[in-house]
Amino acid sequence: MEHPRSITAIQTASILVSTIIGVGVLPLPLFAVEAADSGGPLVTLVAVLLSFAGLSIITVLGMRFPHQSIVEYSEKVIGKWPAWIGSMLIIAFFAVLTSLTAREFGEVVVTSVLKKTPVEITVIVMLLLAAISTRNSIATFSYIHFFYFPLLLWPALFIVALSLKNADVLNLQPIWGNKPKDFLGGVITIAALLQGSFILTIVIPRMRRPEKALISSLIGLTIAGGLYVIIVAATVSVFGAEEIKQLLWPTLELAKATSLPANVLERLDAAFLAVWVTAVFTTLLSSYFLTIYALRQLLRLQEHKMFAFFLLPFVFVMAMLPQNIVQMYDIIEIVGRIGLFLTIGYPALLLLVSILRGKRGKRHGESSSL
């Protein structure tokens, strides 16, 4: 039997980083540039700061109830039925998010690499891989993220650093953008790409030292958010805002335009896609694990493994609903913005009510039901 508190602070930070860095990395510069042209990096930075606020609320709540997840302590804070509705909305949202992530992965693969492969095949393969992996315990889940963390971060930073030799600083001016069209909308869209940090709500109860959750979350989001800002800044500086608007996946084009010194490799897009596939897997793993783990807690069951394959057909069907890439990204933008209010607004409500009602879980070290 696994120890009820087996996740370290370092593992918590790595879970956040590998969850946040995912499929959204490819269209990220396009979202930023459409909102504020050359001000894309600034839009991304503000989105990261907004995510900091949401993550801080989640973390403070988790530290306030160190032995319970959001599904469990929400009933204590606002009552059984309101909490049940809130939990069901969270479960449904992350199930939809899992399906859209898998579909986006499939579209990129069949467009860039396996051009003769049906998108359904790539989607179901990745979903099956995630479903099999979610049947493990939350301790094994944390080990998977910890293992892949350096394999995601360092190659991505290396490729971005190499791309800077083609950069032109003039493309980043003015830094606030040239007549920003939808600055706030861009902030919300990009912040929605970071809401995988909600995984922390089920990780904190398993941390060895929950009091370190805040510093772990800040380190994790700083790393992931910093990489997002760097990617947008590098892409805008290399291509310029107007060129990026003509590209579907600007980050992939950045990798194609980057080469190793002495032309050892003239294009790094193959290496980048290998890293990106790993990033998609860890993101899918987190969103699907959160879905079935929260469902298990909501139904008061002992195991979450039974839901891994039970929910798979529903997630696959949702993934195949968008008719094309354009409709898919329209749906992703709408779902992401709605989800942002759910993943920030709902925890904020719980925190406010818990403070007003003086509700608090047992402190770490005291006996608990775990």
Side-chain angles (χ1 to χ4, degrees), residues 58-288:
I58 292 170
T59 308
V60 171
L61 259 176
M63 294 168 67
R64 193 175 178 89
F65 299 92
H67 296 288
Q68 298 173 302
S69 73
I70 191 168
V71 175
E72 296 166 326
Y73 62 66
S74 59
E75 294 187 7
K76 184 176 180 180
V77 174
I78 60 175
K80 183 177 180 180
W81 290 111
W84 193 89
I85 294 172
S87 297
M88 279 303 301
L89 288 174
I90 289 172
I91 292 167
F93 168 69
F94 278 97
V96 173
L97 195 64
T98 301
S99 68
L100 291 174
T101 301
R103 175 60 185 272
E104 190 173 358
F105 165 79
E107 292 290 353
V108 174
V109 170
V110 300
T111 303
S112 304
V113 187
L114 307 175
K115 298 183 179 181
K116 294 184 179 180
T117 304
V119 67
E120 292 86 357
I121 300 299
T122 55
V123 170
I124 193 62
V125 167
M126 182 55 83
L127 284 176
L128 274 171
L129 186 61
I132 292 170
S133 301
T134 54
R135 288 175 57 82
N136 294 300
S137 67
I138 195 167
T140 305
F141 166 82
S142 68
Y143 294 147
I144 293 173
H145 280 283
F146 189 63
F147 174 79
Y148 283 119
F149 166 65
L151 301 179
L152 297 179
L153 185 62
W154 297 117
L157 288 174
F158 180 67
I159 292 172
V160 171
L162 287 176
S163 71
L164 293 178
K165 65 182 180 182
N166 303 318
D168 185 350
V169 180
L170 290 177
N171 287 331
L172 295 171
Q173 298 176 1
I175 59 173
W176 51 84
N178 184 19
K179 295 181 181 179
K181 297 176 182 177
D182 188 16
F183 192 94
L184 181 60
V187 168
I188 294 174
T189 299
I190 295 173
L193 299 177
L194 299 163
Q195 59 192 331
S197 57
F198 202 79
I199 189 69
L200 205 64
T201 57
I202 65 171
V203 170
I204 291 178
R206 297 292 186 175
M207 287 183 68
R208 290 179 186 173
R209 302 184 64 182
E211 64 273 13
K212 288 192 172 183
L214 187 57
I215 189 169
S216 294
S217 62
L218 292 179
I219 291 172
L221 189 55
T222 298
I223 294 172
L227 181 63
Y228 269 38
V229 174
I230 291 170
I231 287 174
V232 173
T235 309
V236 174
S237 65
V238 170
F239 295 118
E242 294 305 316
E243 178 67 23
I244 289 175
K245 291 178 183 178
Q246 309 304 317
L247 303 174
L248 183 58
W249 297 305
T251 309
L252 183 58
E253 298 301 323
L254 181 70
K256 289 181 180 179
T258 304
S259 61
L260 286 175
N263 285 333
V264 176
L265 278 176
E266 293 185 0
R267 286 170 39 166
L268 293 178
D269 53 317
F272 177 79
L273 279 174
V275 175
W276 176 79
V277 168
T278 306
V280 174
F281 165 69
T282 54
T283 302
L284 264 178
L285 174 64
S286 288
S287 60
Y288 199 44

Side-chain angles (χ1 to χ4, degrees), residues 299-311:
L299 298 178
R300 303 289 198 278
L301 301 175
Q302 292 296 319
E303 287 286 347
H304 63 275
K305 296 178 181 179
M306 67 183 76
F307 294 119
F309 294 114
F310 176 75
L311 291 181

